[in-house]
Amino acid sequence: MDNPNTEILSLFREYRALMDAAGTYPNDTDEVLERLFHRPAREILDRMMALPCTCAADFAAKVIADTCEGGLLSDWETGDLWIEARDLTGYAA
């Protein structure tokens, strides 16, 4: 299935590229990995999460990124992902 070319999906691709590069970067200090990959990835994630979803693919990209590919879940009350999910579904917690 072709995904639309939205700002969120563009940021998601940038985020994934950084995370993929971090995973293959030669062993280095946490400080170097933080500076080169993790800090810029968090900045992209923050920008991505601040944008409203325009399609299901946008929301899916946010789910993948915000949960670290299903490894973590943000807080139900305060997590940007869950706030938007409640808004999109009309669910008032």
Side-chain angles (χ1 to χ4, degrees), residues 57-77:
D58 281 351
F59 191 73
K62 286 184 173 189
V63 170
I64 293 167
D66 190 57
T67 65
C68 296
E69 298 178 356
L72 303 171
L73 294 176
S74 58
D75 182 74
W76 170 252
E77 296 286 328

Side-chain angles (χ1 to χ4, degrees), residues 7-26:
E7 188 173 359
I8 289 174
L9 290 176
S10 178
L11 290 168
F12 177 72
R13 288 187 289 273
E14 289 180 44
Y15 171 82
R16 284 302 328 146
L18 278 171
M19 297 309 293
D20 290 345
T24 62
Y25 195 74

Side-chain angles (χ1 to χ4, degrees), residues 15-52:
Y15 171 82
R16 284 302 328 146
L18 278 171
M19 297 309 293
D20 290 345
T24 62
Y25 195 74
N27 289 341
D28 216 319
T29 65
D30 287 343
E31 181 180 313
V32 170
L33 293 172
E34 175 69 18
R35 180 175 43 83
L36 293 178
F37 303 106
H38 298 293
R39 188 176 313 132
R42 277 194 309 278
E43 290 170 1
I44 291 169
L45 180 60
D46 288 345
R47 289 174 38 216
M48 190 172 83
M49 295 305 287
L51 294 170

